[in-house]
Amino acid sequence: MSLHTDVPAATRSVAVGGATPADRIRRSMRREPVLWSLPVLLLAAVVIGAVASSDFLTGANASAILRASAITGTAAVGMSLVTLSGSFVSMSLQQTAMLSAVAFAYSMNAGSSASVSLTVAVAACVLVCLLEGGFVALGLNSIVTTLAVGTMVFGAVSWVMADRLGSITFASSAFGWLTSRVFGIPVQVIVFAIVTAVLTIGVRRTVFGRELVLVGANRDAAHLSGINIKRVVVLSFVGLGLTTAIAGIMAAAVLQQATPTMLPTLTTDVITAVLVGGIAIGGGNGSPIQAAFGAVFISTVSNVMVLAGLSEGQRQAVEGALLLCAVIVLHLVQRRGKR
Amino acid sequence: MINFWKEYRPQLVVLAIALIYVFATAPLFRGSAALYSVLLGFATIGIVALGLSVTLIAGEFDLSVGSMASVAAVLAVRLSGAGVWAAIGVTVVTCALIGALQGFLIARLRISSFVLTVATFALFAGLSWVIAGGSPVSVKDFAATSFLYERWGSVLAPDIVVALVLFAAIGLFLHWARAGREIYAIGGARPEAISKGVSVTRALTIAFGTSAGCAALAGTMASLKVGSAAPNDYGNLLLSGVAAALVGGIGIRGGAGTVGNVILGVAILSVAASGLSSAGAQGYTIQLVTGGLLLVMVLVDFAELRPTARTGRVRPAKAT
């Protein structure tokens, strides 16, 4: 798996003279169990799926799995920035994604050009996340702040949309390309891959990315080494706002409409993706690509369950049980690693 | 009296503003009818906020209360054929035990309560679908549950009395019982409490058992009263419960706050909600106001911190 190219710097520097690459890999696997556990689980899900149904291992199904994970995954990759920097998670993801979808649909319906609509949608979403980030940077609890802001966004959008019977439908050929394919790959999946690549490289290979992880790992050390913590926290929320806006616009393009109650399970799905991906909830440990893998894993498991004939409620329950197992196992593994 | 004013100043100010506003804008919000609708808020949001406050005082957070209330609502309706009291009892006890197990795991594994309960929040939401069988369920014998609609005098009803008794009981427990004081100690000064021999496991097991039991009771009474429940019907109670507890001034840092805070918080939200809906406002306006109040009160609470407690740096994360 490509995750092995992503060995943390600490592990890389340990490799002294005489250690063979195999030794290094073995050592990194022992140190960072989360790096291999998820690919192994993903493989297990694929094997179970292939055994359970002959429809599973087909190109069309693989494409369906990736497409289903694109919206959740794009938002999850952005959420990983907030988690890595030590602000836990945002509980207002559904509402901010919905805000960008509604703003996009509104603007398209009002006859604005595609680029104006995109700008309006992204600006609305980033602005709300900037506000949340500002409050969190001041020192307010991120969970409570985002719960409060999320409710206000929901209330405000419902208020504005009350005269439209609560939903905006738009038919626009300008965004047909968002649901089309390039070389047989859905455009949403390409967007998801690009966002993941950009943020993963940004976190692992840029100064700001390293600062972000240090702020999550040890605020005091980050403060003493002259990092502006407030700036890092605010920018992590801006990053979340950008990816959430992209996710919301993709959802609007797929559904061809926007309502205040769209994407009802998005917040839970994204948190599940981040945590199942093995990103430490306290921050400072992990990479955005893990959240992307988490999203693909969940959508694979969900796909297997659909093929096995489970109802929506049963799938939700299994997903919740998986999340519960994942957080407990990861917690125990990481605690053992710290000793 | 002066102490009372000092202790609850921000909440009393907000409550006064809310009362003045709804009296001015809602001409129908008067007398015992208004009091009754405010008290009804205590039977749903109030009970949830009360349980949640116990976990907040213990320095933890229970995100699963909304899903737990939904599970209880569906379960109670399904069990109602075996008798209403049996349904309420079995449901509340089962949910309280599940909650206690959560608290036990949080203490023993030393896992962040937020992480564990965000997982059970998703799990219980799914469970409520499974228990309901994927679609809304309803009570078979409506006559058996109709007593929940009785009115005793002009402002009392069975669910309101249950809520008031529960507030009194938990208030006394937190203030006088040794186990209750231990919850404050564990929330306010955990290392010191542990070194004095206070059991984290016991405190958290009781706290999470209480919050799950309270959420279950609120969901059960609400669903049996209406006679039906849809899967995940009461997920929104999480936000209302958190809002009521924090608007009331239960600190998010643990070890602080009393049942008086919860009562004021629920009163503020309930006055705002019933006043606004009496003036013809829609559900989303009430949500907007709830979210806004929560944000404002969290900011006020933050601004009132001693200057030494905020050095301009972001406080270190409390999880893990």
Side-chain angles (χ1 to χ4, degrees):
Chain A
M1 277 292 170
S2 62
L3 279 176
H4 286 306
T5 58
D6 214 47
V7 183
T11 320
R12 234 179 289 129
S13 61
V14 172
V16 283
T20 64
D23 277 344
R24 265 190 290 172
I25 290 172
R26 213 171 296 133
R27 200 175 294 136
S28 78
M29 281 174 73
R30 218 175 307 133
R31 267 163 199 272
E32 299 279 335
V34 292
L35 287 185
W36 54 267
S37 53
L38 190 61
V40 168
L41 280 176
L42 191 56
L43 198 68
V46 168
V47 170
I48 293 171
V51 171
S53 165
S54 57
D55 295 331
F56 182 77
L57 274 185
T58 58
N61 196 43
S63 157
I65 290 175
L66 285 175
R67 208 175 53 221
S69 64
I71 293 172
T72 310
T74 307
V77 169
M79 181 80 102
S80 73
L81 299 179
V82 169
T83 310
L84 282 172
S85 69
S87 309
F88 302 134
V89 289
S90 162
M91 296 296 286
S92 63
L93 210 87
Q94 183 267 332
Q95 291 87 342
T96 43
M98 173 276 288
L99 174 69
S100 73
V102 167
F104 179 71
Y106 236 95
S107 178
M108 287 302 286
N109 259 4
S112 310
S113 72
S115 53
V116 170
S117 303
L118 277 177
T119 315
V120 167
V122 171
C125 192
V126 168
L127 211 66
V128 171
C129 288
L130 188 69
L131 187 76
E132 291 178 343
F135 284 135
V136 174
L138 271 178
L140 266 63
N141 179 288
S142 56
I143 310 286
V144 177
T145 308
T146 52
L147 262 180
V149 173
T151 315
M152 291 172 72
V153 169
F154 177 82
V157 172
S158 309
W159 195 355
V160 171
M161 289 176 72
D163 56 332
R164 290 179 170 260
L165 297 174
S167 102
I168 305 179
T169 313
F170 67 102
S172 164
S173 52
F175 282 88
W177 60 270
L178 258 177
T179 51
S180 66
R181 289 158 182 272
V182 178
F183 301 122
I185 307 170
V187 170
Q188 297 168 49
V189 176
I190 298 175
V191 171
F192 173 32
I194 293 173
V195 170
T196 307
V198 167
L199 290 188
T200 304
I201 293 169
V203 166
R204 310 294 311 196
R205 297 269 181 266
T206 68
V207 173
F208 176 75
R210 307 305 297 241
E211 287 180 358
L212 182 103
V213 176
L214 179 58
V215 167
N218 190 333
R219 291 240 153 143
D220 291 329
H223 181 69
L224 289 174
S225 55
I227 295 172
N228 185 342
I229 292 174
K230 286 182 180 171
R231 180 173 148 260
V232 169
V233 169
V234 169
L235 285 177
S236 73
F237 271 88
V238 169
L240 172 65
L242 279 173
T243 63
T244 310
I246 296 171
I249 292 165
M250 288 201 291
V254 173
L255 302 170
Q256 297 274 307
Q257 65 166 356
T259 64
T261 52
M262 68 192 290
L263 303 168
T265 59
L266 186 67
T267 307
T268 325
D269 289 347
V270 166
I271 295 174
T272 309
V274 169
L275 295 180
V276 167
I279 294 175
I281 185 75
N285 192 359
S287 158
I289 200 172
Q290 288 173 245
F293 268 90
V296 174
F297 173 68
I298 292 160
S299 121
T300 308
V301 171
S302 178
N303 181 280
V304 172
M305 289 192 289
V306 171
L307 290 178
L310 268 66
S311 72
E312 196 199 327
Q314 290 167 326
R315 295 203 298 276
Q316 265 194 38
V318 171
E319 213 180 280
L322 265 176
L323 176 59
L324 185 62
C325 295
V327 297
I328 291 178
V329 169
L330 279 169
H331 172 78
L332 293 176
V333 163
Q334 278 161 355
R335 203 174 67 177
R336 203 182 55 184
K338 269 180 202 159
R339 268 186 210 147
Chain B
M1 200 62 209
I2 291 173
N3 279 343
F4 186 76
W5 165 249
K6 262 190 185 162
E7 201 174 338
Y8 301 114
R9 189 177 45 196
Q11 284 75 33
L12 290 170
V13 170
V14 173
L15 183 58
I17 294 172
L19 278 172
I20 292 168
Y21 180 78
V22 298
F23 274 130
T25 56
L28 296 175
F29 189 79
R30 294 285 184 278
S32 62
L35 181 58
Y36 176 69
S37 69
V38 169
L39 282 175
L40 272 185
F42 277 81
T44 48
I45 300 172
I47 296 181
V48 174
L50 181 65
L52 201 62
S53 299
V54 181
T55 60
L56 284 169
I57 291 170
E60 305 285 343
F61 205 104
D62 188 353
L63 275 172
S64 68
V65 286
S67 305
M68 185 59 98
S70 304
V71 167
V74 175
L75 189 61
V77 169
R78 292 222 84 157
L79 293 176
S80 62
V84 176
W85 292 109
I88 295 178
V90 169
T91 308
V92 172
V93 169
T94 311
C95 292
L97 286 177
I98 296 173
L101 179 65
Q102 286 196 75
F104 180 80
L105 284 175
I106 290 163
R108 275 302 157 96
L109 298 174
R110 275 178 278 153
I111 192 168
S112 142
S113 56
F114 170 71
V115 176
L116 192 95
T117 57
V118 82
T120 50
F121 156 80
L123 175 63
F124 297 155
L127 270 185
S128 76
W129 280 88
V130 174
I131 295 171
S135 53
V137 287
S138 56
V139 174
K140 296 277 181 299
D141 179 15
F142 281 98
T145 60
S146 62
F147 75 91
L148 282 164
Y149 271 110
E150 269 177 39
R151 289 275 285 271
W152 300 326
S154 55
V155 295
L156 290 180
D159 48 353
I160 292 174
V161 170
V162 168
L164 296 181
V165 169
L166 201 62
F167 267 85
I170 289 183
L172 289 174
F173 167 76
L174 284 175
H175 200 264
W176 294 107
R178 185 187 174 90
R181 301 316 298 172
E182 286 181 355
I183 289 176
Y184 278 96
I186 288 297
R190 191 164 297 185
E192 292 83 345
I194 293 170
S195 72
K196 284 284 177 192
V198 179
S199 160
V200 180
T201 311
R202 190 164 82 151
L204 295 194
T205 306
I206 293 174
F208 281 85
T210 308
S211 82
C214 285
L217 186 62
T220 307
M221 290 198 304
S223 70
L224 287 179
K225 197 170 176 181
V226 188
S228 70
N232 216 6
D233 234 357
Y234 296 93
N236 271 341
L237 275 181
L238 168 66
L239 177 94
S240 319
V242 173
L246 295 181
V247 166
I250 298 278
I252 195 150
R253 288 166 292 275
T258 65
V259 166
N261 289 105
V262 189
I263 292 174
L264 282 171
V266 178
I268 291 168
L269 286 190
S270 197
V271 164
S274 48
L276 283 171
S277 55
S278 148
Q282 298 288 326
Y284 48 77
T285 320
I286 294 165
Q287 288 232 8
L288 191 61
V289 170
T290 307
L293 268 176
L294 176 56
L295 195 59
V296 168
M297 292 308 270
V298 175
L299 277 168
V300 167
D301 177 56
F302 176 73
E304 282 201 336
L305 271 184
R306 281 172 292 119
T308 49
R310 52 187 169 110
T311 51
R313 279 191 293 135
V314 182
R315 259 185 302 282
K318 209 176 174 184
T320 61

